[in-house]
């Protein structure tokens, strides 16, 4: 322990120096000293002036006695080569046919080639998985722009059961190239490993992973040219809900300066009640012959579960859509990180950018046969209601609360529909859940001119918010007579992005909140 402490102090000295004075010259891919050890970098594959650092460990591998426990900070002196993404965290299935989407549904919904590739990518095929997965990635360009750049930390989605920072859509090189920011993506534990539901143990391990990753960024990002006082946490779907959870869980000490919640809130993607989480835990422990609540001491159950192989655990997990419990592996109400009444719980007093997509259900409905096969009108009404109850109305309520409490707040709605994002044709999938992510990161191929313009505008807006969360968006595009006014339910403040291929237009703030 003494030797580790000395190493930590030795590493802290150059880091402190890096935080106070900018190096006279930055070499692309130069080695950077961190609390995880010296990290080697390289030029990004396409944006060759961007330095890329991959697979940096921020927590000790959560294996053995650390399985089902809060993350433990990683401190090391060994060189990190930074060339490859780390392992993805172990997922579970969304449906029973994740590996092979049925031909009858392809024909029924008119699934496009683009859509089929998206559906097949749900469980990150081809990306290696392991419990040893708590790593992050950094893209930066310190040789230009601000000497201490705003930092954007991306939390991936995936229904809390899958997802990875190695997904190609999240590659940060184009964001870091266009915008004067440092872009960070993180892994966190998902599915049963991140949200086990043990009633006698710590809950919401995946959310604690996210917090530790933010702490690592705060402590190390200055050495990559970033400003630890200007960290924006942003994410989509389960990542968007995670960002919202974060603002509630760490209201008094958020570390972050701003938040962007995309298609996910704590009231829309609702957490599990503790009783449901415990049911899932004991269902799994019983299946693995580790005991149940009535016959076996909790400590004995935990020890047995920590000795099981990951394969044995995964074999017991439920398909999410077929589960009798909604979102069976997800944040759990514990009144510490996740709250039963989030609407009345304090939130971090920081600027917020929040929004959702015009037809979120365009993705979800293709995993289910029609619910009302003989009544098209009723089918459409159901999915419209699903959009409202899970996405539009919660985003509106969260934006209204943020503005009411005096935080600079902005709200958007994504409308972009492009040939290389089209999912289904019967009915048209429209601007479905997740369809904006590749456009935002600039990682799609075959973009039209309009799509490229919309993507650049969106990256610019997100970057402007990160650089100056208080006034950046009000000033953004001002030279063109635009600017994005703060959210007001009654004013023309809701930004419609990508509508009919255009960058942005504005409507009344509550324009889409009918029935809320």
């Amino acid at each position: 322990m003494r030797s580790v402490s000395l190493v930590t102090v030795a590493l802290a000295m150059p880091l402190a120096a890096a935080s106070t004075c900018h190096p006279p010259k930055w070499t692309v891919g130069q080695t950077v000293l961190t609390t995880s050890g010296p990290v080697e970098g390289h030029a990004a594959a396409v944006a060759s002036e961007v330095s890329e650092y991959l697979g940096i460990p921020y927590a000790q591998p959560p294996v053995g006695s650390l399985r089902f426990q809060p993350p433990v900070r990683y401190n090391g002196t060994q060189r990190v080569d930074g060339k490859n993404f780390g392992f993805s965290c172990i997922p579970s299935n969304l449906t029973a046919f994740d590996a092979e989407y049925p031909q009858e549904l392809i024909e029924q919904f008119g699934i496009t080639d683009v859509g089929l590739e998206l559906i097949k990518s749900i469980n990150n095929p081809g990306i290696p998985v392991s419990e040893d997965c708590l790593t992050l990635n950094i893209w930066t360009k310190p040789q230009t722009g601000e000497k201490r750049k705003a930092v954007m930390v991306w939390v991936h989605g995936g229904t809390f059961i899958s997802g990875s920072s190695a997904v190609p859509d999240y590659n940060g090189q184009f964001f870091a190239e266009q915008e004067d920011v440092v872009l960070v993506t993180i892994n966190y534990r998902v599915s049963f490993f991140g949200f086990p539901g043990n009633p006698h143990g710590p809950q919401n391990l995946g959310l604690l992973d996210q917090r530790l990753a933010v702490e690592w960024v705060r402590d190390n990002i200055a050495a990559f040219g970033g400003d630890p006082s200007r960290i924006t946490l942003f994410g989509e779907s389960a990542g968007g809900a995670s960002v919202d959870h974060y603002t509630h869980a760490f209201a008094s000490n958020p570390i972050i300066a701003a938040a962007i919640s995309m298609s996910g809130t704590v009231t829309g993607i609702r957490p599990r009640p503790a009783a449901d989480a415990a049911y899932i835990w004991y269902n799994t422990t019983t299946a693995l012959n580790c005991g149940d609540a009535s016959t076996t001491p909790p400590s004995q159950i935990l020890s047995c579960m920590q000795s099981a192989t990951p394969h044995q655990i995964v074999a017991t997990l439920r398909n999410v859509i077929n589960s009798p419990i909604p979102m069976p592996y997800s944040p759990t109400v514990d009144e510490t990180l996740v709250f039963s009444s989030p609407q009345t719980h304090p939130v971090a007093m920081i600027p917020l950018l929040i929004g959702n997509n015009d037809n979120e259900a365009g993705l979800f409905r293709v995993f289910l046969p029609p619910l009302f096969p003989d009544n098209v009108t009723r089918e459409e009404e159901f999915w419209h209601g699903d959009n409202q109850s899970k996405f539009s109305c919660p985003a509106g309520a969260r934006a209204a609360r943020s503005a009411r409490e005096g935080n600079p707040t902005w709200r958007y709605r994504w409308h972009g529909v492009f040939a290389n994002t089209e999912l289904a044709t019967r009915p048209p999938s429209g601007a479905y859940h997740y369809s904006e992510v590749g456009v935002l990161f600039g990682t799609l191929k075959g973009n039209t001119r309009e799509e490229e313009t919309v993507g650049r505008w969106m990256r610019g807006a997100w970057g402007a918010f990160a650089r100056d969360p208080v006034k950046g968006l009000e000033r953004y595009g001002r030279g063109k007579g635009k600017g994005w006014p703060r959210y007001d339910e009654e004013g023309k403040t809701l930004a419609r992005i990508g509508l009919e291929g255009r960058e942005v237009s504005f409507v009344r703030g509550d324009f889409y909140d009918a029935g809320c």
Side-chain angles (χ1 to χ4, degrees), residues 379-403:
E379 182 83 7
E380 294 307 313
E381 288 176 347
F382 172 85
W383 287 112
H384 173 74
D386 195 65
N387 282 333
Q388 292 298 93
S389 64
K390 292 180 180 176
F391 298 100
S392 291
C393 296
R398 184 68 177 87
R401 177 187 177 180
S402 179

Side-chain angles (χ1 to χ4, degrees), residues 90-163:
I90 297 176
S92 57
N93 283 357
L94 181 65
T95 72
F97 48 76
D98 284 352
E100 187 172 351
Y101 190 75
Q103 183 63 34
E104 57 267 27
L105 292 185
I106 293 175
E107 297 173 357
Q108 177 176 309
F109 290 112
I111 302 296
T112 65
D113 290 342
V114 169
L116 192 57
E117 287 302 310
L118 172 64
I119 291 168
K120 289 180 178 179
S121 72
I122 291 293
N123 271 10
N124 312 328
I127 300 178
V129 301
S130 169
E131 281 188 273
D132 182 4
C133 61
L134 299 183
T135 60
L136 53 80
N137 318 290
I138 298 172
W139 289 266
T140 185
K141 192 178 178 183
Q143 66 271 30
T144 63
E146 290 187 280
K147 292 182 178 181
R148 291 164 61 87
K149 302 179 187 299
V151 182
M152 301 184 71
V153 179
W154 172 255
V155 184
H156 68 73
T159 325
F160 292 109
I161 61 164
S162 65

Side-chain angles (χ1 to χ4, degrees), residues 225-261:
D227 183 351
S229 70
R230 286 191 295 164
I231 299 173
T232 294
L233 191 66
F234 74 129
E236 184 268 347
S237 189
S242 293
V243 171
D244 201 15
H245 279 298
Y246 188 102
T247 65
H248 289 75
F250 307 106
S252 62
N253 181 27
I255 298 176
I256 62 174
I260 303 176
S261 178

Side-chain angles (χ1 to χ4, degrees), residues 222-297:
F224 294 88
D227 183 351
S229 70
R230 286 191 295 164
I231 299 173
T232 294
L233 191 66
F234 74 129
E236 184 268 347
S237 189
S242 293
V243 171
D244 201 15
H245 279 298
Y246 188 102
T247 65
H248 289 75
F250 307 106
S252 62
N253 181 27
I255 298 176
I256 62 174
I260 303 176
S261 178
M262 301 166 57
S263 297
T265 61
V266 299
T267 55
I269 303 178
R270 296 181 180 179
R272 298 180 296 180
D276 287 355
Y279 167 80
I280 290 289
W281 170 257
Y282 285 120
N283 186 65
T284 304
T285 63
T286 302
L288 290 171
N289 297 316
C290 285
D292 57 40
S294 60
T295 63
T296 313

Side-chain angles (χ1 to χ4, degrees), residues 14-138:
L15 286 174
S19 66
T20 57
C21 61
H22 187 66
K25 183 178 181 181
W26 178 273
T27 303
V28 173
Q30 70 181 47
T31 298
V32 177
L33 294 179
T34 75
T35 54
S36 298
V39 183
E40 297 178 354
H42 54 273
V46 179
S48 59
E49 290 299 306
V50 172
S51 296
E52 181 177 74
Y53 301 84
L54 306 178
I56 306 171
Y58 68 84
Q60 295 183 27
V63 299
S65 63
L66 294 183
R67 180 190 281 169
F68 306 133
Q69 297 298 313
V72 177
R73 184 184 302 274
Y74 180 89
N75 289 291
T77 59
Q78 296 296 314
R79 189 171 294 274
V80 179
D81 69 17
K83 295 178 180 177
N84 300 296
F85 290 101
F87 289 107
S88 298
C89 296
I90 297 176
S92 57
N93 283 357
L94 181 65
T95 72
F97 48 76
D98 284 352
E100 187 172 351
Y101 190 75
Q103 183 63 34
E104 57 267 27
L105 292 185
I106 293 175
E107 297 173 357
Q108 177 176 309
F109 290 112
I111 302 296
T112 65
D113 290 342
V114 169
L116 192 57
E117 287 302 310
L118 172 64
I119 291 168
K120 289 180 178 179
S121 72
I122 291 293
N123 271 10
N124 312 328
I127 300 178
V129 301
S130 169
E131 281 188 273
D132 182 4
C133 61
L134 299 183
T135 60
L136 53 80
N137 318 290
I138 298 172

Side-chain angles (χ1 to χ4, degrees), residues 470-492:
V470 176
K471 297 182 179 179
L473 282 176
E474 288 182 315
R475 296 169 176 167
Y476 181 61
R478 187 64 61 83
K480 299 179 181 179
K482 296 179 182 178
W484 186 343
R486 292 187 186 186
Y487 182 67
D488 175 356
E489 292 175 278
E490 298 181 357
K492 292 184 68 174

Side-chain angles (χ1 to χ4, degrees), residues 492-504:
K492 292 184 68 174
T493 60
L494 189 150
R496 297 194 290 189
I497 303 173
L499 180 64
E500 297 178 346
R502 299 193 304 272
E503 295 168 329
V504 66

